[in-house]
């Protein structure tokens, strides 16, 4: 019997079969970054919670979308986050296995454009994308960037 089990595991590993999606509810929680002056920096905390009931079985991606006048400027956390669209979109991928009632956070430093006037309030968005997510209505939320 151990031989049949070992052979079955070997077939799964060599054929690249992915785990079936779990019954997880990934939710983005709104957190507004601290205000920053023109030319200054602040940090977007892209905060995602797994409302369960299952542990995630697939990787998930957190996407931070910045408004005009604001640019992502690494280093990022986790280190493998990647910026695109001239620094206005950052994608961070987290591995499978986020337990229910636990969180994951991507940290994205943001530079305020030197020409953005004090008093400006601009809206960005955080979104989570996952094959596991069973409730898409809470996968995206805005945040406000304030210029002091």
């Amino acid at each position: 019997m151990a031989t049949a089990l070992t052979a079955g595991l070997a077939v799964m590993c060599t054929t690249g079969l992915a785990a079936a999606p779990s019954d997880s509810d990934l939710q983005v929680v709104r957190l507004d970054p601290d205000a920053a002056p023109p030319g200054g920096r602040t940090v977007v905390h892209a905060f995602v919670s797994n409302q369960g009931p299952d542990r995630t079985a697939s990787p998930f991606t957190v996407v931070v979308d910045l408004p005009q006048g604001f640019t992502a400027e690494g280093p990022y956390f986790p280190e493998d986050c990647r910026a695109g669209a001239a620094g206005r979109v950052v994608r961070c991928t987290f591995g499978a296995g986020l337990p229910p009632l636990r969180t994951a956070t991507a940290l994205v430093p943001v530079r305020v454009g030197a020409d953005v006037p004090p008093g400006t309030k601009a809206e960005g968005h955080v979104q989570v994308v996952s094959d596991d997510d069973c409730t898409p209505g809470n996968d995206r939320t805005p945040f406000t960037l304030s210029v002091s």
Side-chain angles (χ1 to χ4, degrees), residues 23-111:
D23 184 16
S24 301
D25 177 15
L26 295 176
Q27 173 183 7
V28 177
V29 178
R30 182 180 179 138
L31 294 173
D32 291 337
D34 292 336
R41 285 176 50 136
T42 189
V43 177
V44 171
H45 292 76
F47 190 82
V48 175
S49 69
N50 179 2
Q51 297 301 302
D54 292 345
R55 173 183 301 263
T56 59
S58 305
F60 59 93
T61 302
V62 175
V63 181
V64 176
D65 187 12
L66 300 171
Q68 190 81 20
F70 299 84
T71 307
E73 189 175 90
Y76 308 109
F77 179 83
E79 292 178 352
D80 65 348
C81 294
R82 297 290 175 250
R88 293 198 32 228
V89 176
V90 177
R91 287 179 171 76
C92 306
T93 300
F94 291 82
L98 183 65
L101 304 178
R102 298 298 178 133
T103 62
T105 305
L107 302 177
V108 178
V110 174
R111 174 77 62 190

